[in-house]
Amino acid sequence: MRRRDLLAGVASVGVLGGAGVVASGGVPDSLDGSAPDGRGDVADENGGGGDDEPGPVEPVTLQTVDAPGSRDGEVTLPAPDRPTFVDFFGTWCPPCAEQMPDLAAAHERIGDEVLFVSVTTEPVGEAVSEETIVEWWNEHDGDWLVAADIAAELAARLNVGGYPSARAIDASGRVRWATSGTHTAEEFVEGIERALDQ
């Protein structure tokens, strides 16, 4: 690992306030469905939330990266009136790279039904160049929208504490599946379907 990648990773975690362990698979208790492996969710087994169901997430507009399957510009997450799937990754994170084929398979199966986006909290355009993100994206066969959450505002609103992490959000802006750690394509699809069923 290059020193600048390590420093960028440490900086990203610092911005998140040390809310979790990087690439550990841990999820904050407030979002974890009490599964010890961090594969929990905010909805109960029947797909509905409990009495203390969290409210809608306030949207954040992020800059996108001009990479394969992506475009230069902006994206608002969660998308207004549309289910959204957000994968949080870091170019310094081996488990993030490891799960890219499963993300690609999930995108191929269900990506048309949601706004499917991968987001990095790395300081793109500052300590990490956009070219670094594009090279990583190419190397790992990414072919969907990719965005930079430089201020970690979206990550904070979604209570992201480890990498990789994913959130499936319904059309009303409520998180229906929150998880950290690596997953299979089938697990991603099942999580996304929870946001579609609402």
Side-chain angles (χ1 to χ4, degrees), residues 111-181:
D112 290 341
E113 298 179 46
V114 298
L115 177 59
F116 197 104
V117 186
S118 285
V119 173
T120 182
T121 57
E122 295 172 90
V124 178
E126 297 170 11
V128 176
S129 70
E130 187 168 320
E131 291 77 26
T132 298
I133 303 298
V134 172
E135 287 172 15
W136 190 91
W137 201 242
N138 277 322
E139 181 180 341
H140 299 291
D141 299 321
D143 193 24
W144 55 90
L145 197 59
V146 61
D149 185 17
I150 297 169
E153 187 176 0
L154 181 64
R157 289 183 188 186
L158 293 175
N159 206 14
V160 172
Y163 292 86
S165 284
R167 304 291 185 265
I169 305 163
D170 69 18
S172 72
R174 287 179 167 78
V175 176
R176 297 299 176 179
W177 186 63
T179 187
S180 285

Side-chain angles (χ1 to χ4, degrees), residues 70-129:
S70 188
R71 57 175 162 66
D72 189 26
E74 295 180 338
V75 63
T76 300
L77 302 173
D81 302 322
R82 182 175 180 195
T84 305
F85 173 74
V86 184
D87 156 59
F88 286 90
F89 76 99
T91 58
W92 44 266
C93 167
C96 299
E98 177 185 315
Q99 78 171 7
M100 284 293 286
D102 289 299
L103 282 168
H107 177 257
E108 188 170 313
R109 286 177 54 190
I110 201 166
D112 290 341
E113 298 179 46
V114 298
L115 177 59
F116 197 104
V117 186
S118 285
V119 173
T120 182
T121 57
E122 295 172 90
V124 178
E126 297 170 11
V128 176
S129 70

Side-chain angles (χ1 to χ4, degrees), residues 1 36 45 50 59 69 105 132 162 186:
M1 177 182 300
E45 291 176 3
T132 298
E186 189 60 38

Side-chain angles (χ1 to χ4, degrees), residues 30-32 41-44 48-58 157-159 168-170 172-178:
S30 63
L31 288 180
D32 188 15
D41 59 72
V42 296
D44 65 26
D51 292 336
D52 58 349
E53 179 178 297
V57 175
E58 188 175 333
R157 289 183 188 186
L158 293 175
N159 206 14
I169 305 163
D170 69 18
S172 72
R174 287 179 167 78
V175 176
R176 297 299 176 179
W177 186 63

